[in-house]
Amino acid sequence: MDKFEKLTGIAAPMPLVNIDTDMIIPKVFLKTIKRSGLGVNLFDEMRYDRQGNEIPDFILNQPAYRESEILVAGDNFGCGSSREHAPWALKDFGIKAVISTSFADIFYNNCFKNGILPIVLPQEAVDVLMKDAEKGANARMIVDLEAQTVTTSDGEVFEFEVDSFKKHCLLQGLDDIGLTMEKAASIDSFEAKASAERPWV
Amino acid sequence: MSPKTLYDKIWDAHVAHESDDGTCLLYIDRHLVHEVTSPQAFEGLRMTGRTVRAPDKTIAVPDHNVPTTPGREDPANMTEDSAIQVAALDTNAKEFGIHYYPVSDIRQGIVHIVGPEQGWTLPGMTVVCGDSHTATHGAFGALAHGIGTSEVEHVLATQTLIQKKSKNMKVEITGKLRPGVTAKDITLSVIGATGTAGGTGYVIEYCGEAIRDLSMEGRMTVCNMAIEGGARAGLIAPDEKTFEYVMGRPHAPKGAQWEAALAWWKTLYSDDDAHWDKVITLKGEDIAPVVTWGTSPEDVLPITDVVPAPESFKGGKVEAAKRSIDYMGLTPGQKLSDIQIDTVFIGSCTNGRIEDLRAAAEILKGKKVKEGMRAMVVPGSGLVRAQAEEEGLADIFKEAGFEWRLAGCSMCLAMNPDQLAENERCASTSNRNFEGRQGYKGRTHLVSPAMAAAAAITGHLTDVREMM
Ligand code: SF4
């Protein structure tokens, strides 16, 4: 998994509340054999018309926001099904952090498994960040995980909370597999012992 | 040493690392892989530059989404998403150097049938697969359970799984089964008694005379549905029948290794005074041939019974039963044996083995499928299919009017084109009767192979004992 350290990027404002995983990535894209490549279908039904043409009004279709790396979103982001395809699609598009007043539980955890930082802040802070994001491509927001801060393009700083273990994993780029691999010596010695005791396995 | 259950013994033999909070890395001896839940896991390895840690312990076979009609070696005869998933498995198996049985191989079949058949599944092992019915392998005294795609990747990369230990539950079936009663009736009756959440948090060990009396195939049927009772896994202690089944299989140990293995396998049983967190006992004599009437595997009753009244249940189940009966198009009080059937499906990892086909053929011999009905047999593997042809079972099925298909999951989950139409009613030997499981608005009644055959002849759910 990619390490998440400090990010300076364009933030797209999505004030809609209850953005669910069906909106993030509709069911029809679950037949895929990949977790990459879902970025083109991120927010598919909001982003394209029935003929597959871009809907110009949609935020990520606007020239200023096509390269967004941060989403500032309304309350209860990521509700709905548990599909890991939702963070996969966000990641593939290039979104590395999502800021909201709250997240659905499963989605929140799935983000960390996929190198995305979900940031919970109070309503007032999210309101300020939403305004800042509306300024377009010149307004770069800074997300600093080490310091646990978000800084607006005007230099206003907001601190956020994050579980220390999750923070550690994200900073080091450790997923479950990475963590288990830190215990490779235990697995190696178990394997050696087991294959001596049960060579038929 | 303190007394241990079979589960305790297998668990203890596989802990590679234990953290202070009790989270363990459980070492995995066999990882079975199929085309639907594995592509993202392999891609994850590729993206992170990781490899499969133990390719020799990893076995892949396409089964969930493959057609069961002739000509399927040609991707042109598959639906597009199926062809893509199968091609991905082909590529991944080659690239990562794991064991592989492609659709063109006679050994191809449902992953839980192929594993035991090829001797990959052995007593005392840990076995996982990205499919919940992995519990099947518990019949050998192996700790076996289903995992998700992220965990598939975790096992591929590390050959371990992050786990906390479950509790111990004993399900004892005493005495003898009556004629016409099968392993399927046992496992459904257990779920009927415990409910679908009765096993949540537990690993079940099935024991008692009626379980000992079952063949290995019957034991697989019992363990297969442990998951439907909510359990993490189901186990049966290995015995002479187990050893006899395993001996000589392609990947079973041979010579001195066989002797060493056997010596260890013989220690795999629950100690007399082992601690059980929960115990359920059923009398073998009390079990009847059963059918499901609703949309949960716990909605099970003897074939001689009637569709229950929702009010006869308690709590949230009243509403659930109403919804089930409505979905299934039934009336409370209606005799179960009066329910008319459109389709019969014999197959799946629950009942797609040779003994299942024999049991169905026994009933069908010299008879015909009722006019207007659709009936299909989907053998669990290419080898089961070949053996059934050799024994003349295929001819019995064909003469009776059954379609004789190629191996795969088929209508068990209806991901390939083998599906029920809206309101079509099916007597099925599979394991899930959920809404839409066998096709949108399809209606499923779970039964044993013999009961399925009986229904095919009469056109309605039928007490097989009347045909014996
Ligand atoms: S037959 Fe059904 S239950 Fe068994 S592996 Fe296939 S889909 Fe799963």
Side-chain angles (χ1 to χ4, degrees), chain B residues 269-286:
Chain B
Y269 52 83
S270 290
D271 297 330
D272 281 343
D273 35 7
H275 171 76
W276 298 98
D277 300 290
K278 191 170 176 177
V279 179
I280 303 270
T281 307
L282 294 187
K283 283 195 191 135
E285 296 81 9
D286 290 351

Side-chain angles (χ1 to χ4, degrees), chain A residues 35-36 180 188 191 198, chain B residues 27 40 43 53 153-154:
Chain A
R35 63 182 116 193
S36 61
T180 297
D188 289 345
E191 212 166 44
R198 299 190 291 273
Chain B
Y27 191 83
Q40 285 91 350
E43 208 209 344
R53 181 178 168 113
E153 186 178 342
H154 192 278

Side-chain angles (χ1 to χ4, degrees), chain B residues 307-342:
Chain B
V307 177
E311 298 74 34
S312 65
F313 295 97
K314 285 198 199 81
K317 188 69 190 174
V318 177
E319 272 312 305
K322 261 188 209 152
R323 188 187 161 87
S324 279
I325 289 169
D326 184 50
Y327 178 90
M328 293 296 290
L330 301 173
T331 321
Q334 181 180 3
K335 282 170 77 177
L336 292 172
S337 56
D338 281 347
I339 296 171
Q340 303 294 312
I341 296 293
D342 307 304

